[in-house]
Each structure stands twice: as C-alpha cells, then as structure tokens.
C-alpha cells in the first residue's frame, strides 16, 4: 500500500489527470511521499525484529547488499540507457552516475534524483544499514522503558528537524538527506525492541490505521517536503507494531492474504521500476497530458500493469536468484574461513 501511495503521487505529478480528475488525484495522492517515511520506519522495525545476537556486521551488510543491489544496479542501467537514447530524460555525468551506483548521491542535493529518481531512498537506507549494527547493539542493552525513551527522542528529533527545514535554517532541504531520515529508522527499531520484549501497549490496528489516515490528510496543511513527515509519523509508528502484534496473536488480518503477501514480495521491484515506466510514457503521451477522467484512468491502469509485470520479472528473474547466489557464495567463503555462515535473509 505504501508503494501504491508513491505510485499515485507520481501519476499525479506526471499530469495524467486534468480538471476535476486532477483535483481528486491531488486530494488522494498529493501526500503519497509519506509512503517513503513508512518504508523507513518499517525497515528499522523489520531489521531489529529479525536481528539475532552474535550476528556479525560484515554478514549483515552483505545480506543487505544481496537484498537491494541487484535491482538497484539494473534499474540504474535502464535509467542510464533511457537518458542516452530517449527525449525528455536527464543525462547524468560520470560522477553523478558513480555516486548513484555507490548510493551516495542523496548526500549532495543537486544529485539526489540521479538516474532512477526513487533510488534516493536507497541511499538513505544504505546509511541506515551502515549504522544498524551499532544501533542493534545499543538497543539490546535497553529495556522496554529505555527503548520507549529512544522512540520518543526520535519523534522529537523529527519535529525539530521539520521545524528547522520549514524555516530554512539549514543549508539544504532535508527531505532526501540521509542523516535527517535516520530518526524514522531508529524509531522503527526502538518500537520493534519493545514488541520483542512483549511490552507493547499501543492501540489496535484499526485505531492506529485511523490515526495514520488522519495524519495523511493533514499533510497538505504543512510545508511541503520534510515537514510532511511529522503528520504521519505517529500513526505509522503505531500501525506497524499493532499489525505485528496482531500477527503474533493470530488475529484476523487482510494483509496475510496470499495475493497481498505476493504483492508485498514484488513491492521493492515495483517501487524501483514504476517511475521509469512513467518516464518512458512521456515519450508517448507528452508531458502533463491532462486527460479526461476515463482516458486518464485507462492510462494509469496500463502504466500500473506494465510496472507490475516488470516488477514480477525483476523479482523472479533477478532479485531472488541474485540474492540466493550472493548469499551462497558468501556462505561458502565464510565456511572455508572457518566462520559462521550467513543466516537466512531478513
């Protein structure tokens, strides 16, 4: 669902819908960028939940490389090919392309949307991964109360950074700056620690979802960019552990439906490919075509179907086999060195 929010935002930005349809698209998906904040919080939660004592940092980092790099490199190559061959596409310099491949481009604002624009969030994730072994070590020493304090400090950090960004106190906008997005990741990890200790006392999934939706529709009332994160932060930070606890208790959940689980498996590849599909569409449709409702809906459905089909191909043909291959080779190398093999991919 978070990936669909981002997709809807980009459809709105590409101007498929004109007139009343455009207003409705803006109402429904103008705040879609908050889906990335959901990813950051969820990433911290999942990694802390799946972390195991004794896991070494190099093994953890290699698992993350195996998880994201195959799709990242292929989508970057596609974006580069598009830039060199198609109209209306940016042509990166050598240094910009290299920074993107190394997931460093979000540290320098002029480069943050180099090649596949959505990869800016991967640069943030790469920074989170670099910091995670130390964060996990720290959290394991904290009880539920200490983890709750850390979660509160993370929320406070986001609020302070949002205020600073809205008042232009810092040298660059913070929306894509990796260090500024770290508190969201830490918040997710701290909440996971509380759930793991069996001390979560948050609201139900339904109440948490209601708070997240209310926050989502508050986004247009705050300055654009990083400050929008503050609207959905609490709702997302409550919703993720509430859903996890519901799973642990075996409570009914639509998200465990087989088809939704499958879409979740494809969501990373979908996120990475969908904007490239929309960009290619500008060569067929022009920029900001502002169609009527029916042609715009048809175009959106076609773009979604193409992106979903490509995400399936990326997942089955690249993401899964490349991950297995990289982890297998690392395990063999560790075994020959007499070290513990890499555990199951988280």
């Amino acid at each position: 669902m978070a990936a669909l929010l981002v997709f809807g935002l980009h459809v709105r930005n590409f101007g498929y819908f004109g007139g009343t349809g455009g207003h409705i698209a803006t109402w429904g998906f103008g705040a879609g960028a908050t889906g990335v904040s959901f990813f950051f919080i969820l990433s911290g939660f999942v990694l802390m939940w799946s972390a195991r004592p004794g896991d070494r940092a190099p093994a953890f980092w290699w698992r993350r490389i195996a998880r994201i790099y195959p799709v990242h490199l292929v989508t970057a190559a596609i974006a580069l090919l598009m830039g060199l061959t198609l109209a209306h596409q940016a042509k990166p310099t050598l240094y910009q392309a290299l920074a993107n491949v190394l997931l460093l481009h979000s540290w320098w604002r002029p480069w943050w949307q180099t090649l596949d624009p959505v990869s800016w969030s991967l640069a943030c994730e790469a920074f989170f991964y670099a910091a995670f072994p130390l964060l996990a070590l720290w959290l394991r020493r904290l009880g539920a109360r200490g983890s709750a304090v850390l979660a509160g400090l993370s929320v406070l950090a986001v609020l302070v950074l949002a205020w600073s960004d809205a008042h232009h106190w810092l040298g660059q906008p913070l929306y894509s700056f990796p260090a500024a997005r770290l508190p969201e990741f830490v918040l997710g990890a701290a909440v996971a620690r509380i759930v793991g200790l069996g001390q979560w006392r948050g609201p139900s999934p339904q109440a948490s979802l209601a708070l997240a939706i209310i926050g989502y529709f508050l986004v247009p009332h705050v300055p654009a960019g990083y400050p929008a994160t503050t609207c959905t932060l609490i709702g997302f930070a409550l919703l993720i552990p509430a859903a996890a606890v519901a799973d642990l208790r075996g409570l009914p959940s639509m998200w465990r439906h087989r088809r939704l689980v499958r879409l979740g498996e494809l969501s990373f590849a979908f996120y990475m490919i969908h904007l490239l599909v929309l960009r290619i569409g500008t060569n067929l449709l022009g920029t900001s075509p502002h169609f009527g409702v029916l042609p715009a809906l048809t175009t959106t459905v076609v773009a979604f179907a193409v992106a979903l089909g490509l995400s399936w191909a990326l997942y089955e043909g690249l993401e899964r086999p490349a991950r297995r291959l990289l982890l297998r080779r690392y395990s063999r190398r560790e075994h020959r060195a007499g070290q513990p093999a890499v555990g199951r991919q988280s």
Side-chain angles (χ1 to χ4, degrees):
M1 290 302 297
L4 287 178
L5 291 180
V6 178
F7 174 77
L9 170 69
H10 289 148
V11 167
R12 191 288 303 261
N13 290 349
F14 275 75
Y16 283 9
F17 290 84
T20 302
H23 294 306
I24 294 175
T26 297
W27 174 82
F29 294 103
T34 57
V36 180
S37 179
F38 183 91
F39 294 152
F40 291 159
I41 299 171
L42 180 64
S43 179
F45 186 96
V46 170
L47 291 183
M48 189 63 210
W49 179 263
S50 59
R52 295 293 178 265
D55 191 18
R56 298 179 305 110
F60 167 79
W61 290 327
W62 186 254
R63 291 200 301 272
R64 304 324 300 164
I65 289 172
R67 175 69 177 87
I68 69 171
Y69 245 91
V71 172
H72 167 55
L73 291 178
V74 168
T75 52
I78 294 171
L80 178 61
L81 181 62
M82 289 169 55
L84 296 175
T85 60
L86 300 179
H88 314 300
Q89 310 299 324
K91 297 176 176 60
T93 67
L94 175 62
Y95 291 114
Q96 288 174 328
L98 183 61
N100 177 274
V101 168
L102 297 176
L103 293 178
L104 298 172
H105 55 301
S106 288
W107 291 94
W108 177 238
R109 178 69 179 187
W111 293 358
W112 75 291
Q113 290 203 320
T114 301
L115 295 177
D116 187 359
V118 299
S119 65
W120 72 265
S121 64
L122 290 191
C124 295
E125 290 281 0
F127 176 59
F128 304 161
Y129 299 159
F132 179 75
L134 184 60
L135 173 63
L137 181 64
W138 184 22
L139 276 170
R140 288 193 190 101
R141 296 178 179 178
L142 295 178
R145 182 173 299 178
S147 299
V149 170
L150 180 60
L153 290 175
S154 300
V155 172
L156 180 61
V158 171
L159 295 175
V160 171
L161 289 169
W163 188 88
S164 301
D165 190 70
H167 290 81
H168 309 289
W169 272 36
L170 303 174
Q172 69 170 19
L174 296 179
Y175 177 76
S176 60
F177 191 60
R181 306 310 296 256
L182 181 62
E184 295 157 82
F185 178 81
V186 174
L187 173 60
V191 168
R193 176 62 174 164
I194 298 172
V195 175
L197 291 170
Q199 297 297 313
W200 180 253
R201 299 293 183 268
S204 68
Q206 294 79 10
S208 301
L209 179 60
L211 289 173
I213 292 173
I214 291 170
Y216 181 84
F217 286 105
L218 287 176
V219 167
H221 302 286
V222 302
Y226 188 90
T229 304
T230 62
C231 296
T232 53
L233 185 71
I234 299 298
F236 289 162
L238 294 174
L239 177 60
I240 291 169
V245 169
D247 279 352
L248 291 172
R249 295 174 180 172
L251 300 177
S253 172
M254 63 177 287
W255 305 110
R256 288 200 298 274
H257 190 280
R258 178 175 56 86
R259 291 179 181 174
L260 288 176
V261 171
R262 180 59 169 170
L263 288 174
E265 292 173 345
L266 303 180
S267 61
F268 173 59
F270 178 85
Y271 175 75
M272 294 298 294
I273 199 66
H274 80 275
L275 190 54
L276 300 182
V277 171
L278 296 177
R279 282 194 161 189
I280 290 175
T282 61
N283 290 271
L284 303 173
L285 308 172
T287 56
S288 298
H290 293 298
F291 295 130
V293 173
L294 185 57
L297 282 174
T298 302
T299 304
T300 300
V301 170
V302 169
F304 175 79
V306 171
L308 187 61
L310 290 175
S311 67
W312 176 85
L314 282 171
Y315 180 74
E316 293 293 345
L318 174 69
E319 185 179 334
R320 289 182 65 193
R323 185 167 71 234
R324 286 196 300 264
L325 177 63
L326 291 171
L327 294 180
R328 188 182 304 121
R329 288 186 174 180
Y330 188 88
S331 296
R332 289 174 180 172
R333 187 167 65 249
E334 291 289 279
H335 181 72
R336 286 195 298 267
Q339 299 292 339
V342 176
R344 182 181 178 184
Q345 165 65 22
S346 59

